[in-house]
Amino acid sequence: METQLNKTVWFMRLLNGVQELGNRLPHPTALFFYLCLLMLLTSFLAHALGVTVTHPNTNEIILANSLLSSDGLRYLLTHSIQNFTQFAPLGAVLVAMLGIGLADRSGFLNALMRATVQHTRTGWLSYGVVCGGVLSNLAADAGYVVYIPLCAMVFLGAGRHPLAGIAAAFAGVSGGYSANLIVGPADVILSGLTQEAGRLLTPDLVVLPTNNYWFLCASTVLIVFIGGFITDYLVEPFLRSTPSPLAQVNTKTNTNTKETTHPDPTSSRALRLALGSVALYGLCIALAAWPQNSPLRHPDTHNLLQSPLISGIVIVIAVGFAIAGMVYGRSTGVFRHSADWVEALESTFKQLASYLVLMFFAAQFVAWFNWSQLGPILAIQGARQLAATGIPPVGLLIGVVLITAILNLFIGSASAKWALLAPIFVPLLMQLGIDPNWTQIAYRVGDSSTNIITPLMPYFALVLGFAQQHDPQIQFGRLIAMMLPYTLGFLLLWIALLITWWIFGLPLGV
């Protein structure tokens, strides 16, 4: 017992150290500004030193581009606005917040969270949040934009630390990206890239989207239990041991302004009407998508996985929240006139001001890094270093996991990274007798595990913004310290599951 306590104290000290080190970094917005300046210098030096790499598939020589060259300066001038407006999280967040803002300001979310907490066993709350995060991957960006902030409110309503709710949801949505019970768009994209890479050696190779299905199902169970356990026994105790004076930790000690300004925000009748309207809305969407020739399906394959419905799911969800908010607000009298709900929308966007400033510099840095070609150079060189080690097959799979986990700190997109790595890893391991399906799942394990600790992942800044709504003083250091236990737990135990699967020769999929 004493040994276990000592281990816990040691781990808390480690997280405190990570937090203190990270908090010495500048303000998140300033940090991305400085990273942009660093990227200007790094790209210039890499180009001046002639840093190159040969693409394994096309034999094209990739040269590091300098942002301070003539082409680079032209790029900076002509693409800065585009980099910002087309930044992946930006549009999704703004559209989603239109609906969520109405739902929040009407009091609907507050009432819904209270009802949810009353019917949820507190002991299983963390596990349920992580599980919901994993399953939310089917809804693309909605997991980040909608699910994570809602889970903070669920934890707050249960008298638990809201940042722990954010951490658990983030771990499920992003750390559990390569775990699910249903085949999703990511499976289709990655399997297609694996198939093309494998056909460099075997022209008739077929890799199905279900090629990793059984392993992904087992991974879902693993991620849920690891994530729930870490939330309850490591992350939330850490957050409570180092509280922020501005953090909203306990609903009993915080004043909820909605309760004092909204007439009867917990009205069961208004809540039933709002939920009923959302259910009717969902039924209409389902009926509209049911016919094979529905405009909500893919125009050629009539598939739902790659359909306008899935690609536009954030808009669908935003409309659902808006309907619930309007019905609830009208029923309780919060939205008596059009000026009331317009003011709610304006107030929501006012809260996003700091987020928009942060997103501008984050978008520039990510775009500049991609244009400099430093990402592909790092990926290809890392893969070649692994190929030169000469270690046994299962060791090579672990090497794929680790190299991917490291590269994920610099290249956020799973499909873009695999497009670079698959032509190297897949043929290489095929020649050593390793099936492409194993190579792909090793890549996915590494890609998911470090998603939650890299500030270069586009949605990392978004999660930080959500956390600042509950703790305005939170910085990168505290957020990384929150998520580090998940990364370590996922990476170690996921590798253990991969090795076990390999030793017993279990089927990866169908």
Side-chain angles (χ1 to χ4, degrees):
M1 184 69 179
E2 184 177 352
T3 302
Q4 184 65 33
L5 180 60
N6 290 335
K7 291 181 179 180
T8 302
V9 172
W10 176 85
F11 194 78
M12 292 298 174
R13 288 177 179 173
L14 172 64
L15 294 183
N16 283 325
V18 172
Q19 174 178 278
E20 292 176 5
L21 182 63
N23 284 345
R24 292 179 183 177
L25 296 172
H27 185 280
T29 300
L31 177 61
F32 274 108
F33 173 75
Y34 298 143
L35 286 174
C36 287
L37 297 180
L38 179 62
M39 182 51 56
L40 293 175
L41 178 60
T42 303
S43 65
F44 171 78
L45 292 176
H47 180 78
L49 295 173
V51 176
T52 62
V53 72
T54 302
H55 195 287
N57 192 15
T58 63
N59 291 322
E60 174 190 0
I61 296 178
I62 301 175
L63 172 67
N65 294 326
S66 172
L67 288 161
L68 296 179
S69 65
S70 298
D71 290 339
L73 292 175
R74 280 191 287 267
Y75 170 79
L76 295 178
L77 289 173
T78 58
H79 286 74
S80 293
I81 295 176
Q82 179 181 330
N83 293 341
F84 179 52
T85 58
Q86 296 184 2
F87 192 45
L90 184 64
V93 171
L94 296 181
V95 170
M97 289 307 295
L98 287 172
I100 295 175
L102 284 177
D104 182 34
R105 297 292 167 177
S106 70
F108 169 74
L109 290 183
N110 186 44
L112 179 62
M113 293 308 135
R114 285 175 177 270
T116 301
V117 169
Q118 290 175 357
H119 295 86
T120 302
R121 293 185 178 181
T122 305
W124 291 100
L125 183 59
S126 299
Y127 300 91
V129 165
V130 176
C131 183
V134 172
L135 298 179
S136 73
N137 285 318
L138 294 173
D141 298 335
Y144 293 99
V145 178
V146 179
Y147 187 72
I148 292 177
L150 289 184
C151 290
M153 297 181 66
V154 169
F155 266 60
L156 189 62
R160 298 181 60 177
H161 204 299
L163 295 186
I166 287 178
F170 190 24
V173 173
S174 194
Y177 181 73
S178 290
N180 218 308
L181 301 177
I182 303 173
V183 176
D187 301 288
V188 176
I189 295 171
L190 296 181
S191 62
L193 293 172
T194 303
Q195 177 173 286
E196 291 304 312
R199 285 183 174 180
L200 294 174
L201 293 182
T202 308
D204 59 348
L205 177 70
V206 175
V207 179
L208 300 175
T210 56
N211 65 334
N212 295 149
Y213 181 72
W214 300 124
F215 188 87
L216 296 181
C217 289
S219 297
T220 302
V221 177
L222 181 73
I223 293 301
V224 168
F225 278 96
I226 295 174
F229 179 87
I230 289 175
T231 302
D232 290 344
Y233 295 100
L234 291 178
V235 172
E236 191 163 15
F238 162 70
L239 291 171
R240 293 191 180 276
S241 68
T242 56
S244 168
L246 297 180
Q248 300 178 22
V249 178
N250 195 318
T251 50
K252 296 179 181 179
T253 60
N254 286 290
T255 301
N256 191 329
T257 56
K258 294 182 182 64
E259 293 186 21
T260 58
T261 59
H262 292 171
D264 191 22
T266 57
S267 168
S268 58
R269 177 177 176 275
L271 184 59
R272 287 197 300 270
L273 287 174
L275 292 176
S277 65
V278 173
L280 180 60
Y281 168 69
L283 179 62
C284 291
I285 294 293
L287 291 176
W290 183 264
Q292 286 293 314
N293 60 347
S294 168
L296 298 182
R297 292 176 175 266
H298 191 280
D300 299 322
T301 64
H302 307 298
N303 195 317
L304 277 176
L305 289 178
Q306 296 174 305
S307 65
L309 177 62
I310 296 301
S311 60
I313 194 67
V314 170
I315 296 177
V316 174
I317 293 176
V319 172
F321 274 106
I323 291 173
M326 290 296 293
V327 171
Y328 189 90
R330 294 288 295 180
S331 299
T332 58
V334 175
F335 295 155
R336 296 181 182 273
H337 308 287
S338 59
D340 296 329
W341 58 264
V342 171
E343 182 182 356
L345 293 176
E346 293 174 348
S347 177
T348 299
F349 271 67
K350 288 178 183 177
Q351 293 182 348
L352 294 175
S354 60
Y355 168 75
L356 293 176
V357 176
L358 172 62
M359 283 294 98
F360 175 80
F361 291 105
Q364 302 308 321
F365 175 75
V366 172
W368 294 3
F369 184 80
N370 291 336
W371 189 87
S372 71
Q373 296 286 10
L374 292 177
I377 291 173
L378 286 172
I380 294 172
Q381 290 289 14
R384 286 178 175 168
Q385 291 298 321
L386 175 63
T389 58
I391 57 180
V394 69
L396 285 175
L397 289 176
I398 297 174
V400 171
V401 173
L402 297 178
I403 284 184
T404 303
I406 295 172
L407 289 174
N408 194 43
L409 301 176
F410 303 96
I411 309 173
S413 172
S415 57
K417 214 167 34 269
W418 191 228
L420 291 168
L421 295 177
I424 305 171
F425 283 148
V426 172
L428 168 68
L429 271 63
M430 284 178 67
Q431 294 180 68
L432 298 175
I434 298 177
D435 189 276
N437 296 331
W438 281 97
T439 309
Q440 177 178 293
I441 199 60
Y443 165 78
R444 299 189 69 174
V445 169
D447 175 66
S448 291
S449 298
T450 53
N451 272 342
I452 49 183
I453 61 169
T454 170
L456 300 188
M457 198 267 287
Y459 290 101
F460 192 88
L462 172 64
V463 175
L464 180 64
F466 289 145
Q468 288 175 339
Q469 294 179 7
H470 300 277
D471 180 1
Q473 292 182 337
I474 190 172
Q475 300 178 39
F476 275 125
R478 188 166 176 81
L479 182 56
I480 291 176
M482 283 167 46
M483 304 313 300
L484 184 60
Y486 297 103
T487 287
L488 296 176
F490 290 172
L491 190 60
L492 294 176
L493 294 179
W494 225 338
I495 288 176
L497 179 65
L498 183 68
I499 294 174
T500 302
W501 220 268
W502 174 271
I503 292 175
F504 288 96
L506 300 176
L508 286 174
V510 293

